[in-house]
Amino acid sequence: MRLSKSLVPTLREDPADAEARSHKLMLRAGLVRQLAAGIYVWLPLGQRVLDRVNRIIREEMNAIGGQEMTMPVLHPAEIWRDSGRWDAIGPEMFRLKDRNDRDMCLAMTHEEVIAWLAAREIRSYRDLPQIWYQIQTKERDEARPRSGVLRTREFVMKDSYTLDPDAAALDRSYAAHEAAYRKIFERCGLRFRVVQSDTGMMGGLGAHEFMAPSAAGEDEIAICEGCDYAANVELARGVPEAPAFPGWTREEVATPNARTIAEVAAYLNVDPRLTIKSLLFVAPKAGPVLVLVRGDHNLHERKLARALGEEARPAHPEEVREHLGAPVGSVGPVGVRVPVLADETLREGTYVVGANREGFHLRGVAPGRDFQPRFVDLHTVVPGEACVQCGKALEVERVIEIGNIFKLGTKYSEGLNAKYLDESGQERPIVRHRARAHRRQRDRAVRRRRRHRVARVDRALRRAHRAREPARPGADRGGRVHLRPVPGGRARRAPRRPRRAAGSEIQGRRPARRARPRDRRQRARQGGRRGDQGAPRAASRTARRSGRRRGDASRVGRLPRACPLTGASRRRCVANLPPPPPRANLSKKWALPTFLLSCDR
């Protein structure tokens, strides 16, 4: 299309409501237009950019065996209740009711749909592994949409899901996706880091994030240049420098009108690192919990949620007074009747804490001696802390999350009954969702395996019968060779040499046909493997090339260990084989050898 006819609405000046540099450039270049807070229209130039990025994603995902599909944005509430996330996810998810008053939602992600689909389509271990992906619109009710298309309420996302039979296969799929993501971002010209991250509402066994450094980013990562350690601050661990602890004894000191850490440290003339910050949180199941961090540190609420196993909120001032008997600013861990969580940095030393009495604090309190907390990593890593791996100083960098991979394990397959039958016929959850085993599926698999065994025995008997039956009258017509294997004798040759097979044809009584790949069945018809030393050598060039004897018949037909007709074991079968349906006698271009028919275990 001509540029004069194209829709490219450029702007001369930066829009007043645009803050991020990327947002300003996209608006001025005519890539997007804002319809509402967090909702954008992609104009033709912007759509071309999306198409090019999507093409790169499809190429790399298809290269690792991915299969693209499209899943709905509108979901019924039942599958989200089965996985347990209907109530676990807060107001970020759009919820609605249809005209029949049924609960529905707009998808933020599609783990439930994948598990629902796998529970109905995956039956056997032969169907695994699978890689399914889509490029689809997602909806999320962001509390504060900002930075242009970086944080929106409607966005396009590529999400990929693997279905694996065990943990080893899960690790292989995980590594394949990490390599594919690296190629995608490198082809897009992005500078990125792969860091450890928290699984969040997704749950699972572990996660890694792909972060692009940017001053407009909303996430922070801690990195170490000495050992390449990198982790999101939600998960990062550091070793802060310990202060010099004075030889205090436990005593109560007055601190009138001092409520904050800075005010208490200034009034007592102590280092803020010698104080403890006491925060009361309330969790839905755990109830009130007192959280302790060092005075110069900040609490990371994601670390607290991971330690409690659930989200917790800060207590209201009246709740603080109800549970601790003191106002905010004077509370402490000594003598309280609520559970206490303390940061790992508080294991050693003596500190100043609240006395649970307004206007007073306790000096010389030692965690583990004066109160018994549970120590966990709770503080937010700050620049300058020592790396937990090599001891060098950590740096904190602002980044934009551009990709994330999770090890979900069986979190969703157990909840939505996505199971498969392994080699022994036992039901196992697909490694990615707990319910009763479906007996109908198990019985169907047993019957299918039984039919396969019967079919194998029937094919073996047919091959054995064809080898033993006598030559039919008039078989040698048209100057072709009819060969009748005779135990103890040599194959006969017709007085006239047959036409040589051309190209990939196979010579025989039937019209020429294309040659099939050599498999066990064809090798069996040609004489089996080396075994019977008394049988003569074959005249076939194929046999000479393979180095095998064509005269061995102990393995012809791959008969079962016991004869299906007589049950004979380790002795020759003397039963009269039932005649198979009429079928043309076997003829080959080269002479067939003799063989012995046996049923050996």
Side-chain angles (χ1 to χ4, degrees):
M1 179 180 288
R2 293 179 180 270
L3 181 61
S4 60
K5 301 295 184 181
S6 302
L7 177 63
V8 188
T10 59
L11 301 176
R12 289 179 178 269
E13 303 294 337
D14 293 339
D17 57 345
E19 298 179 358
R21 184 181 179 186
S22 60
H23 189 197
K24 296 177 182 179
L25 293 176
M26 293 180 70
L27 289 174
R28 294 185 60 184
L31 300 183
V32 296
R33 286 295 182 265
Q34 183 173 344
L35 176 63
I39 303 176
Y40 285 84
V41 178
W42 288 86
L43 301 181
L45 286 183
Q47 185 62 42
R48 292 184 63 180
V49 174
L50 286 180
D51 293 341
R52 292 184 178 183
V53 174
N54 291 342
R55 184 177 68 250
I56 294 175
I57 293 174
R58 287 189 173 97
E59 290 175 358
E60 297 300 335
M61 292 305 302
N62 294 340
I64 63 172
Q67 305 170 78
E68 186 175 4
M69 60 175 60
T70 300
M71 290 173 278
V73 178
L74 185 63
H75 294 181
E78 287 76 18
I79 59 175
W80 288 77
R81 290 193 177 102
D82 291 340
S83 67
R85 294 205 297 174
W86 179 260
D87 299 320
I89 297 178
E92 295 85 5
M93 185 165 64
F94 285 101
R95 292 175 168 86
L96 65 150
K97 291 182 179 290
D98 63 7
R99 64 176 61 191
N100 296 315
D101 203 35
R102 288 191 293 260
D103 289 328
M104 310 288 285
C105 68
L106 299 181
M108 302 169 58
T109 182
H110 283 75
E111 282 78 14
E112 283 77 8
V113 177
I114 289 291
W116 175 91
L117 183 63
R120 285 153 180 79
E121 304 302 331
I122 302 300
R123 293 289 180 263
S124 170
Y125 68 96
R126 297 184 181 91
D127 300 330
L128 300 175
Q130 294 279 336
I131 300 178
W132 299 340
Y133 77 94
Q134 68 167 353
I135 301 175
Q136 177 63 289
T137 300
K138 299 290 192 297
E139 309 288 345
R140 180 185 176 93
D141 193 3
E142 285 286 349
R144 296 178 299 276
R146 58 183 181 273
S147 301
V149 297
L150 292 182
R151 181 177 287 273
T152 61
R153 294 196 290 174
E154 180 177 284
F155 53 95
V156 179
M157 185 176 73
K158 192 284 300 179
D159 46 335
S160 176
Y161 306 89
T162 67
L163 309 177
D164 300 290
D166 50 35
L170 173 63
D171 292 338
R172 291 191 294 269
S173 298
Y174 195 85
H177 274 75
E178 182 179 353
Y181 277 30
R182 289 178 180 271
K183 293 180 181 178
I184 290 172
F185 299 137
E186 289 171 357
R187 292 180 61 181
C188 292
L190 294 175
R191 186 169 62 93
F192 63 93
R193 292 180 180 270
V194 183
V195 303
Q196 302 175 17
S197 68
D198 182 57
T199 58
M201 72 171 184
M202 306 295 295
L205 308 176
H208 284 80
E209 290 176 325
F210 294 80
M211 298 294 199
S214 173
E218 297 182 352
D219 291 323
E220 291 183 335
I221 61 172
I223 55 178
C224 177
E225 299 297 342
C227 64
D228 294 332
Y229 171 79
N232 193 303
V233 291
E234 298 177 350
L235 200 67
R237 298 171 64 92
V239 182
E241 183 181 358
F245 294 104
W248 288 335
T249 59
R250 177 176 165 179
E251 61 177 341
E252 186 178 78
V253 295
T255 53
N257 301 322
R259 293 181 175 85
T260 65
I261 293 295
E263 292 172 350
V264 172
Y267 186 86
L268 297 178
N269 194 22
V270 298
D271 189 338
R273 295 181 297 174
L274 297 176
T275 62
I276 290 181
K277 189 183 300 182
S278 302
L279 306 170
L280 185 67
F281 279 77
V282 179
K285 297 180 180 178
V289 179
L290 188 62
V291 181
L292 309 179
V293 294
R294 209 169 72 178
D296 62 327
H297 287 164
N298 292 322
L299 170 70
H300 201 295
E301 294 190 11
R302 283 303 309 163
K303 292 185 175 182
L304 174 61
R306 190 165 56 251
L308 295 176
E310 58 180 338
E311 297 287 342
R313 62 169 178 83
H316 301 301
E318 57 273 14
E319 293 176 319
V320 174
R321 187 176 290 274
E322 175 186 356
H323 294 291
L324 302 178
V328 177
S330 299
V331 298
V334 179
V336 298
R337 298 182 179 180
V338 299
V340 179
L341 293 181
D343 186 57
E344 291 281 359
T345 58
L346 302 178
R347 285 185 177 272
E348 303 293 337
T350 56
Y351 300 88
V352 175
V353 301
N356 292 322
R357 194 156 67 99
E358 187 173 2
F360 289 89
H361 281 73
L362 292 177
R363 184 167 54 191
V365 174
R369 184 195 66 187
D370 298 311
F371 62 94
Q372 300 298 324
R374 179 163 70 94
F375 291 101
V376 291
D377 179 43
L378 294 173
H379 79 280
T380 303
V381 173
V382 296
E385 292 189 8
C387 175
V388 293
Q389 294 184 359
C390 67
K392 292 187 177 181
L394 293 175
E395 298 178 3
V396 176
E397 187 177 24
R398 297 192 69 85
V399 292
I400 298 174
E401 179 186 344
I402 58 177
N404 206 328
I405 51 179
F406 301 84
K407 285 186 179 181
L408 298 178
T410 59
K411 173 180 172 61
Y412 297 94
S413 57
E414 289 180 350
L416 293 169
N417 197 34
K419 298 184 178 183
Y420 72 98
L421 296 174
D422 62 8
E423 295 89 336
S424 60
Q426 300 294 324
E427 276 193 342
R428 297 185 182 279
I430 298 174
V431 178
R432 277 253 324 121
H433 272 253
R434 151 180 147 197
R436 294 180 301 176
H438 285 311
R439 183 175 180 180
R440 181 183 303 175
Q441 297 177 4
R442 184 172 64 250
D443 294 346
R444 186 185 301 122
V446 171
R447 290 193 299 269
R448 184 168 58 249
R449 290 195 299 273
R450 187 181 298 122
R451 288 196 301 269
H452 290 172
R453 288 196 298 268
V454 172
R456 286 197 298 269
V457 172
D458 181 68
R459 288 195 297 268
L461 291 176
R462 291 175 188 273
R463 290 195 296 269
H465 180 79
R466 286 199 304 270
R468 289 186 57 183
E469 67 177 350
R472 297 182 180 179
D476 298 332
R477 292 199 297 264
R480 298 201 177 192
V481 177
H482 174 73
L483 303 174
R484 179 169 62 89
V486 179
R490 293 284 184 175
R492 303 173 183 176
R493 182 182 293 275
R496 181 178 174 184
R497 183 181 179 87
R499 176 180 65 85
R500 293 179 63 88
S504 59
E505 296 178 358
I506 294 180
Q507 187 72 33
R509 292 186 66 253
R510 292 181 175 181
R513 58 183 175 85
R514 305 293 295 179
R516 296 177 181 174
R518 290 184 57 84
D519 56 4
R520 290 183 298 178
R521 188 181 304 174
Q522 187 171 351
R523 287 198 300 267
R525 288 200 298 265
Q526 293 176 355
R529 300 179 180 179
R530 184 185 301 273
D532 189 2
Q533 301 298 327
R537 289 183 179 271
S540 171
R541 288 183 301 180
T542 304
R544 288 199 297 271
R545 284 196 302 266
S546 62
R548 296 175 180 173
R549 292 196 177 191
R550 296 283 304 279
D552 175 30
S554 62
R555 299 175 64 88
V556 171
R558 297 280 181 179
L559 290 174
R561 294 183 177 181
C563 179
L565 300 178
T566 63
S569 175
R570 297 187 180 277
R571 62 185 179 86
R572 300 191 186 283
C573 177
V574 296
N576 294 322
L577 296 173
R583 184 173 177 178
N585 292 333
L586 180 66
S587 298
K588 297 293 291 184
K589 174 181 174 182
W590 304 105
L592 290 178
T594 60
F595 63 89
L596 296 175
L597 179 64
S598 64
C599 293
D600 292 341
R601 184 179 290 274

